Amino acid sequence: MKRACTKWFFLVFIIIVIAILAIIGTHIKKPDKTTTVYTNTETKGVSISKEKIIIEKLGVVHKDTLVISIKNNNNAKVVVDNIFAIIKDESGNFLKRINCLDSNIPINGGQETVSYVWNDDDENLADYSNIEFGFEINDSKSGLYPADLYICDNFEINVNNTGKQIAVTIQNNNSDSVLASINVVFYKDSKVVGFSSQITDEIEANEKGYVNLEYPYNENNGNKIRFDDYKVNFVKAKIQ
């Protein structure tokens, strides 16, 4: 009888210990290995990955204008600045550096926009196939050009192809007045055949701005270039 009681007491003790461990286990937070924290230049503590920003050549217009796409594969907004193209020969030897005329371009996470690099020399950029791109990220909180000055949210774009040009209306739904930059890329058989860009006059808060973007033309004879598609891009707005 005494031996049976001892066994029963031991069994009860084991059950109680197991129950206590189970209760404790439910209150221990296990690390979530599948969670990745993303942030942007507006959030403290974590920086954007430059490797997730991809710049690619779209085409060459008028020999001197290299049209490029800029894709932000981060999950947060970045302000891309000081974009440049490195031109190399077929052997990979450096020839020249050309700077982008746009600066401080805000791009939301997972989005892309279009800009251009302009060459002031009398040579055809289409002759060069070996082109690499570089850039910086503006994460400044102060100074002359803080990143917060450059925005791309809360705008409505209305596009009208008049048959002579592309007329664009920009509705500024922000609480600040801005200057906005707009461009259009023209395509023929999926190839770039034209490019035009404009900066608006100052657009007051909750007001509209207007720009006209010219059709592509042949710089040798001035004739219009045929196109079968086009895309208008809102590049950026700078708070005034």
Side-chain angles (χ1 to χ4, degrees):
M1 182 68 179
K2 184 177 181 180
R3 181 177 298 177
C5 289
T6 301
K7 289 182 177 181
W8 180 83
F9 177 81
F10 181 77
L11 180 61
V12 172
F13 176 79
I14 293 298
I15 294 173
I16 292 173
V17 170
I18 293 174
I20 292 173
L21 291 175
I23 293 172
I24 294 174
T26 60
H27 290 80
I28 297 176
K29 182 174 178 58
K30 297 180 180 179
D32 186 355
K33 296 181 180 179
T34 64
T35 300
T36 303
V37 178
Y38 295 94
T39 184
N40 59 26
T41 54
E42 300 173 344
T43 305
K44 297 179 180 180
V46 182
S47 62
I48 290 292
S49 171
K50 286 187 69 174
E51 288 71 23
K52 292 184 178 181
I53 300 172
I54 308 300
I55 301 178
E56 295 180 328
K57 170 185 173 181
L58 292 180
V60 174
V61 177
H62 293 169
K63 299 192 306 181
D64 57 7
T65 303
L66 176 62
V67 185
I68 59 175
S69 67
I70 312 164
K71 177 68 179 291
N72 175 20
N73 290 315
N74 290 282
N75 278 29
K77 173 186 169 184
V78 297
V79 178
V80 181
D81 193 21
N82 294 330
I83 299 171
F84 60 89
I86 297 297
I87 311 296
K88 298 182 178 181
D89 62 20
E90 296 300 325
S91 300
N93 298 309
F94 169 72
L95 295 176
K96 66 184 305 182
R97 167 177 167 152
I98 309 172
N99 294 324
C100 177
L101 293 187
D102 281 327
S103 61
N104 290 305
I105 302 173
I107 312 173
N108 284 329
Q111 301 298 313
E112 66 180 304
T113 191
V114 170
S115 186
Y116 67 106
V117 174
W118 182 71
N119 180 35
D120 58 358
D121 290 340
D122 187 22
E123 57 184 342
N124 191 349
L125 291 178
D127 293 337
Y128 301 105
S129 59
N130 193 352
I131 303 176
E132 299 176 359
F133 298 97
F135 62 92
E136 297 175 1
I137 293 178
N138 180 0
D139 57 2
S140 174
K141 301 296 183 183
S142 60
L144 293 176
Y145 306 104
D148 290 346
L149 278 183
Y150 304 94
I151 59 176
C152 54
D153 294 318
N154 301 320
F155 294 94
E156 297 177 28
I157 308 299
N158 182 271
V159 178
N160 179 28
N161 184 354
T162 68
K164 295 182 179 180
Q165 55 189 198
I166 306 298
V168 183
T169 304
I170 305 100
Q171 171 69 43
N172 175 19
N173 293 324
N174 292 279
S175 58
D176 297 292
S177 61
V178 301
L179 291 178
S181 176
I182 304 287
N183 67 43
V184 59
V185 183
F186 297 93
Y187 299 89
K188 175 67 175 176
D189 299 327
S190 299
K191 295 182 179 180
V192 174
V193 295
F195 177 83
S196 179
S197 66
Q198 289 287 343
I199 297 176
T200 67
D201 293 330
E202 185 169 334
I203 310 174
E204 298 291 337
N206 300 308
E207 296 292 339
K208 293 179 180 178
Y210 306 90
V211 294
N212 296 101
L213 300 166
E214 298 298 327
Y215 276 2
Y217 64 93
N218 187 311
E219 64 178 352
N220 294 322
N221 54 32
N223 293 336
K224 299 292 185 182
I225 296 176
R226 293 182 179 274
F227 61 93
D228 55 25
D229 195 13
Y230 67 92
K231 181 181 179 182
V232 173
N233 304 283
F234 184 92
V235 181
K236 66 176 180 179
K238 182 181 179 183
I239 297 174
Q240 299 302 291

